[in-house]
């Protein structure tokens, strides 16, 4: 790759860094954990890289390492999104019960 | 258009999806949708990658790839579905660690493919960065997992000359990196990878259990950077964008988390916080030189709660460990049935990581309007009859406000001391993670009930119902 190619990638890198900083500028603390988990899943996209590498691997060493890489990356991306979804599932029922306030005497289960 | 152009376009869509995913995840409304958008973007990108001629070049490689993906998914889905909510943080640590490991492996294999020719210096530099950061993240996450899973002590592990040893390992890695840049020697790269794993372990050892979540967030950011480095190596915009997004937002998130704890990031990483246990005199509170505290029976406390007008429950780490969130809700329900107003005051770092307590209580179907963030809850404390502190200690320690010399001075706390009565449910007199004594425990208006949070809460439910 040429030097201009590198500069192009650096440009993307710098812009992405600013976007990353801006996009989560205000996060309520209750979402810190889900956000961390979700962004953890996003870097699981390394799976795409591991696929390309395993595809071009030759010889036992490269194949074994590449296989391992695909396996680990799959764990990252699949587990990451599923675990985040499970965390966020817990929040969904929240606005449904405004009647709980003070008048709970009637509601024996 | 060529296939390559199509690929670039699809990857651009996926990258946009990741940006929208992070955006969504940072607001309560859009969080779940954001995560689904991210998952969709990843699926599309991964699916389209199968059209890549490099990926399809050899049948054997392709078969191995699919086998690895099937095995990975078969492990990940049940693991993520079945893990207990209290064990979430270590699950995130593991998934982060394997991502770092994958990024390091990508860099290593690319180097092996490249090295028979003489690769350009910048190509080696990209590889070195990916290997170093990926290995640190992998090993660091593994230790973080072991700490949270209690496979090893959660206390900081320190030894003489620790900082010097860490610095030496760091320098050795730097030297190896330079040597590898010049010689492009594979053996040197392997040694560098091993030393990076060592660095990951010794970097995490002195960090105490309560601080590990902040550490995981930092390592998450590291993995993002390692992925970005792989993106440079593979000329992939998608990996550069996704990795950098996570790297940058992860650093910011890490800082927000440490701010919520009232501490600076360097302080968390390097001070071995909580390694000094100041409270001598028996962890069970029976030591001779322990100051007198007032303990109560479950029945006493049950009556106190049942006839209160307003009770504020302050849940902490102990509640998470005992998995007592459901029992806490039962108690709140029993009180609400008697007309007692109940709210939960959530400290930003209650539980095992920021926001963790909200997740746990939501799992127990605690109504959302009863959950109050610290800033919302504190003005209500002075009108509360009882502050019921369940397995929390440092987050209600008035020393954070009153004692300038204290290690936690300046940390925002829940003002449990302003309630008319304070009840602590604690396992023992052992101090919290900060390792400092809590004056509030000795306050005349404080009553203590020792035991596992789940047991004591169960007894309180019975006592309230009987009162």
């Amino acid at each position: 790759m040429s030097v201009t190619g590198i500069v192009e990638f650096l440009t993307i890198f710098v812009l992405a860094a600013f976007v990353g900083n801006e996009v989560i500028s205000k996060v309520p603390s209750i979402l810190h954990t889900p956000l961390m988990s979700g962004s953890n899943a996003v870097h699981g996209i390394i799976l795409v890289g591991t696929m390309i590498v395993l595809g071009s691997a030759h010889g036992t060493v490269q194949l074994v390492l590449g296989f391992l890489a695909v396996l680990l990356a799959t764990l990252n991306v699949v587990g990451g999104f599923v675990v985040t979804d499970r965390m966020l599932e817990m929040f969904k029922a929240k606005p449904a019960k405004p009647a709980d306030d003070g008048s709970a005497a009637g509601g024996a289960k | 258009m060529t296939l390559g152009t199509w690929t670039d376009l699809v990857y651009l869509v996926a990258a946009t999806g990741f940006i929208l995913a992070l955006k969504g995840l940072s607001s309560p409304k859009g969080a779940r949708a954001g995560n689904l958008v991210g998952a969709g973007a990843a699926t599309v990108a991964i699916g389209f990658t199968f059209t890549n001629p490099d990926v399809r070049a050899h049948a054997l490689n392709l078969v191995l790839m699919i086998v690895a993906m099937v095995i990975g998914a078969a492990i990940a889905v049940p693991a993520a579905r079945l893990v207990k909510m209290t064990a979430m943080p270590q699950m995130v640590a593991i998934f982060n660690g394997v991502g770092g490991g994958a990024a390091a492996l990508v860099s290593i294999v690319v180097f092996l493919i490249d090295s028979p020719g003489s690769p350009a210096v910048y190509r080696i530099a990209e590889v070195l960065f990916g290997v170093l950061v990926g290995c640190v993240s992998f090993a660091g996450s593994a230790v973080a997992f072991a700490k949270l899973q209690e496979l090893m002590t959660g206390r900081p592990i320190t030894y003489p000359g620790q900082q010097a040893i860490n610095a030496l390992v760091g320098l050795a890695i730097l030297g190896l990196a330079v040597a590898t840049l010049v010689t492009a020697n594979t053996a040197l790269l392997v040694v560098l990878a091993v030393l990076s794993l060592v660095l990951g372990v010794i970097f995490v050892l002195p960090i105490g259990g309560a601080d590990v979540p902040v550490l995981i967030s930092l390592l998450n950011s590291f993995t993002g950077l390692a992925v970005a480095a792989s993106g440079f190596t593979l000329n992939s915009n998608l990996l550069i964008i996704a990795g950098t997004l996570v790297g940058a937002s992860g650093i910011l998130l890490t800082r927000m988390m440490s701010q919520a704890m009232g501490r600076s990031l360097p302080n968390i990483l390097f001070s071995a916080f909580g390694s000094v246990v100041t409270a001598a005199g028996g962890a069970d509170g029976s030591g001779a030189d322990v100051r007198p505290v007032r303990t109560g029976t479950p029945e006493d406390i049950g009556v106190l709660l049942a006839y209160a007008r307003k009770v504020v429950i302050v849940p902490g780490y102990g509640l998470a460990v005992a998995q007592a969130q459901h029992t806490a809700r039962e108690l709140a329900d029993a009180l609400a049935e008697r007309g007692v107003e109940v709210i939960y005051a959530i400290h930003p770092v209650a539980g095992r990581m920021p926001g963790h307590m909200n997740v746990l209580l939501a799992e127990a179907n605690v109504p959302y309007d009863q959950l109050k963030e610290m800033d919302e809850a504190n003005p209500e404390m002075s009108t509360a009859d009882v502050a019921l502190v369940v397995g929390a200690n440092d987050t209600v320690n008035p020393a954070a406000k009153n004692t300038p010399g204290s290690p936690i001075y300046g940390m925002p706390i829940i003002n449990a001391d302003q309630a008319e009565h304070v009840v602590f449910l604690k396992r023992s007199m052992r101090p919290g993670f900060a390792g400092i004594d809590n004056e509030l425990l000795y306050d005349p208006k404080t009553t203590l009930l020792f035991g596992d949070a789940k047991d004591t809460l169960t007894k309180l439910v019975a006592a309230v119902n009987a009162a």
Side-chain angles (χ1 to χ4, degrees):
Chain A
M1 187 183 34
S2 63
V3 174
T4 48
I6 273 283
V7 173
E8 227 167 80
F9 287 123
L10 274 177
T11 311
I12 291 166
F13 172 77
V14 171
L15 292 178
F18 278 99
V19 173
N21 228 311
E22 282 303 313
V23 82
I24 66 148
S25 53
K26 283 188 212 97
V27 192
S29 62
I30 58 163
L31 283 174
H32 282 175
T33 301
L35 176 62
M36 170 162 83
S37 180
S39 63
N40 173 40
V42 166
H43 66 51
I45 198 62
I46 185 66
L47 178 55
V48 166
T50 62
M51 288 166 72
I52 294 170
V53 161
L54 177 55
S56 2
H58 293 285
T60 316
V61 175
Q62 292 178 14
L63 281 175
V64 169
L65 293 180
F67 179 84
L68 216 59
V70 173
L71 179 64
L72 294 184
T74 309
L75 285 172
N76 185 183
V77 73
V78 175
F81 282 116
V82 174
V83 111
T84 311
D85 188 59
R86 203 163 146 227
M87 274 182 206
L88 295 168
E89 223 168 51
M90 304 301 171
F91 287 97
K92 75 183 169 199
K94 62 195 180 188
K97 304 170 187 165
D100 271 62
D101 230 338
S103 63
K109 0 173 221 184
Chain B
M1 282 203 300
T2 64
L3 182 61
T5 315
W6 278 111
T7 309
D8 284 344
L9 275 178
V10 170
Y11 284 175
L12 177 62
V13 171
T16 314
F18 289 148
I19 296 173
L20 293 175
L22 289 189
K23 180 95 192 150
L25 278 165
S26 51
S27 79
K29 259 193 198 158
R32 196 148 186 225
N35 187 54
L36 291 178
V37 168
T43 311
V44 169
I46 292 160
F48 209 82
T49 303
F50 278 109
T51 65
N52 185 319
D54 282 344
V55 170
R56 305 157 61 97
H58 310 284
L60 170 67
N61 300 26
L62 196 58
V63 169
L64 282 175
M65 197 178 303
I66 291 166
V67 170
M69 290 168 87
V70 169
I71 296 177
I75 299 173
V77 173
R81 280 267 138 222
L82 299 178
V83 62
K84 290 201 183 89
M85 287 311 282
T86 40
M88 258 340 158
Q90 46 268 54
M91 209 67 210
V92 176
I94 279 291
F95 290 142
N96 175 59
V98 292
L105 286 171
V106 165
S107 297
I108 291 173
V109 178
V110 167
F111 183 83
L112 293 178
I113 295 173
D114 272 9
S115 59
S118 44
V121 171
Y122 67 79
R123 300 243 340 137
I124 306 179
E126 290 159 6
V127 165
L128 290 173
F129 187 83
V131 172
L132 168 61
V133 180
C135 286
V136 166
S137 184
F138 177 75
S141 300
V143 178
F145 171 82
K147 286 194 176 214
L148 289 177
Q149 192 69 26
E150 286 165 15
L151 300 175
M152 59 185 284
T153 170
R155 293 222 162 255
I157 296 173
T158 53
Y159 42 85
Q162 190 164 29
Q163 309 272 23
I165 293 172
N166 292 7
L168 271 180
V169 174
L171 279 177
I173 289 174
L174 215 63
L176 272 169
V178 173
T180 316
L181 272 182
V182 177
T183 61
N185 183 314
T186 309
L188 286 180
L189 184 75
V190 172
V191 180
L192 184 136
V194 172
L195 270 186
S196 304
L197 291 172
V198 172
L199 182 66
V201 172
I202 61 180
F203 172 65
V204 174
L205 283 181
I207 297 171
D211 290 336
V212 166
V214 178
L215 170 84
I216 296 175
S217 174
L218 183 70
L219 293 175
N220 182 39
S221 168
F222 280 5
T223 305
L225 293 177
V227 170
S230 305
F232 276 96
T233 319
L234 296 170
N235 298 342
S236 165
N237 279 339
L238 176 65
L239 294 191
I240 296 179
I241 295 174
T244 313
L245 270 181
V246 177
S249 65
I251 297 272
L252 187 62
L253 183 59
T254 310
R255 279 186 42 213
M256 289 197 272
M257 283 186 180
S258 41
Q259 265 164 18
M261 304 174 87
R263 315 245 313 273
S264 76
L265 189 54
N267 179 268
I268 286 173
L269 296 180
F270 302 117
S271 69
F273 196 64
S275 56
V276 191
V277 184
T278 47
D284 57 0
S286 61
D289 56 342
V290 168
R291 285 195 283 161
V293 293
R294 195 158 63 110
T295 57
T297 64
E299 288 70 29
D300 295 340
I301 297 169
V303 170
L304 178 68
L305 292 171
Y307 293 95
R309 273 173 301 115
K310 183 168 171 185
V311 172
V312 180
I313 299 178
V314 186
Y317 185 77
L319 180 135
V321 171
Q323 301 193 33
Q325 65 269 27
H326 295 276
T327 326
R329 207 211 63 191
E330 275 173 42
L331 178 64
D333 286 352
L335 288 172
E337 256 170 62
R338 305 182 62 108
V340 182
E341 183 189 353
V342 182
I343 61 169
Y344 298 79
I346 317 284
H347 192 275
V349 295
R352 291 205 130 164
M353 35 181 24
H356 191 208
M357 192 55 68
N358 303 66
V359 175
L360 289 179
L361 292 173
E363 185 207 22
N365 290 322
V366 170
Y368 185 64
D369 52 5
Q370 290 181 4
L371 298 180
K372 306 280 184 197
E373 302 253 337
M374 180 175 62
D375 295 339
E376 240 182 311
N378 271 341
E380 303 217 24
M381 293 309 294
S382 53
T383 62
D385 299 299
V386 186
L388 178 64
V389 183
V390 186
N393 191 351
D394 294 333
T395 54
V396 294
N397 191 340
K401 287 186 298 189
N402 310 329
T403 315
S406 170
I408 60 166
Y409 184 69
M411 180 175 92
I413 60 161
I414 305 248
N415 297 328
D417 53 328
Q418 289 175 359
E420 206 179 324
H421 299 276
V422 182
V423 176
F424 273 92
L425 305 185
K426 274 175 74 58
R427 267 197 289 204
S428 65
M429 280 301 283
R430 200 192 299 259
F433 266 108
I436 50 172
D437 224 353
N438 189 344
E439 208 49 46
L440 190 55
L441 294 172
Y442 309 102
D443 195 292
K445 70 182 176 189
T446 299
T447 312
L448 277 71
L449 178 57
F450 289 116
D452 173 80
K454 201 168 182 174
D455 293 344
T456 50
L457 281 170
T458 310
K459 286 179 191 152
L460 284 183
V461 174
V464 166
N465 286 333

